[in-house]
Amino acid sequence: MTTLDNVTTHPTQHPLSTHTQSPRGPPLPAHRLPDLPGHLAIPEQSRGGPAALDLFNTAPAEAVQPVLLACLHSRPWSRRLTAHRPYPDLDALLAAADEAAYDLTPVELAEALAGESLPELPEDAYLAAHTALSAAQAAYEARFGHVFVICVDDLTPDEVLDRVLAAIRSRLANDPEEERIVAAEELRRLARGRLIRALRGTTP
């Protein structure tokens, strides 16, 4: 743990960085993000409020960048957000995060995609669900050369499997350039949601 003024970081994985093994099926591939601190330590009474953003704005770069890398595995993205501090409010930070994600080069996008994995399934998912998802993901990786990414922040656990399977099958029809654009947009949405949760000190 690093303590700098009133800012600390926790050497734990980001809340989205692990998969829980289902008792009814084999585990999906482990998340590929490095073991990075997941969020700033923010007092309970100030989580998600102005004090949380103040901590983000004033924390040393070496404390902030690991937090950002746990939101999106892109060093250019994390450096840009760190360098442009301070942000007047959360909306300004999220707008900067979106803009930096849109500006990723193809090489930088590939780096970010390499740090991702499939959403985890509900704990009671059956073996057939794991098998279907693994087969769809294998077909997707064979076509596009990277893991399938999708933001499911707006879904309940019971909705995740059907949405992911439908999206993989639909997006397999894309050509590589079309899919690069779709994957970049999903990464942007994932990064935005993770950044909000990191500042609030919460899990999905």
Side-chain angles (χ1 to χ4, degrees):
M1 179 180 296
T2 303
T3 302
L4 296 159
D5 296 322
N6 292 324
V7 179
T8 60
T9 58
H10 295 288
T12 59
Q13 285 187 316
H14 185 270
L16 293 183
S17 63
T18 58
H19 286 297
T20 303
Q21 181 170 351
S22 167
R24 304 189 183 186
L28 293 172
H31 200 285
R32 300 170 192 172
L33 281 176
D35 188 7
L36 294 172
H39 42 71
L40 298 175
I42 298 169
E44 186 68 35
Q45 65 271 21
S46 66
R47 286 180 179 173
L53 185 62
D54 287 345
L55 285 172
F56 181 87
N57 282 331
T58 59
E62 59 267 26
V64 170
Q65 287 198 2
V67 176
L68 292 172
L69 283 171
C71 298
L72 184 66
H73 189 56
S74 168
R75 298 188 185 280
W77 182 84
S78 67
R79 286 195 295 264
R80 180 171 174 179
L81 289 186
T82 302
H84 287 183
R85 294 180 301 164
Y87 297 95
D89 51 41
L90 180 58
D91 286 343
L93 171 58
L94 295 177
D98 287 346
E99 183 179 356
Y102 286 132
D103 288 345
L104 292 178
T105 67
V107 171
E108 292 163 354
L109 177 61
E111 177 195 19
L113 287 169
E116 294 294 329
S117 68
L118 287 171
E120 61 185 69
L121 296 182
E123 292 185 7
D124 61 350
Y126 286 92
L127 175 61
H130 286 269
T131 301
L133 188 55
S134 294
Q137 165 63 7
Y140 180 92
E141 285 206 39
R143 176 160 173 73
F144 298 112
H146 58 78
V147 71
F148 176 81
V149 291
I150 185 171
C151 180
V152 294
D153 289 350
D154 58 340
L155 302 181
T156 65
D158 291 341
E159 296 174 312
V160 169
L161 177 62
D162 288 343
R163 176 69 65 85
V164 172
L165 281 174
I168 291 181
R169 290 163 180 163
S170 173
R171 287 164 56 181
L172 276 169
N174 290 342
D175 64 40
E177 178 57 22
E178 288 174 331
E179 183 55 25
R180 186 190 69 79
I181 294 171
V182 174
E185 174 62 14
E186 294 296 331
L187 275 181
R188 182 197 65 78
R189 295 179 61 211
L190 283 168
R192 169 182 273 258
R194 291 167 181 169
L195 184 53
I196 292 171
R197 290 190 291 273
L199 287 178
R200 291 176 177 169
T202 61
T203 57

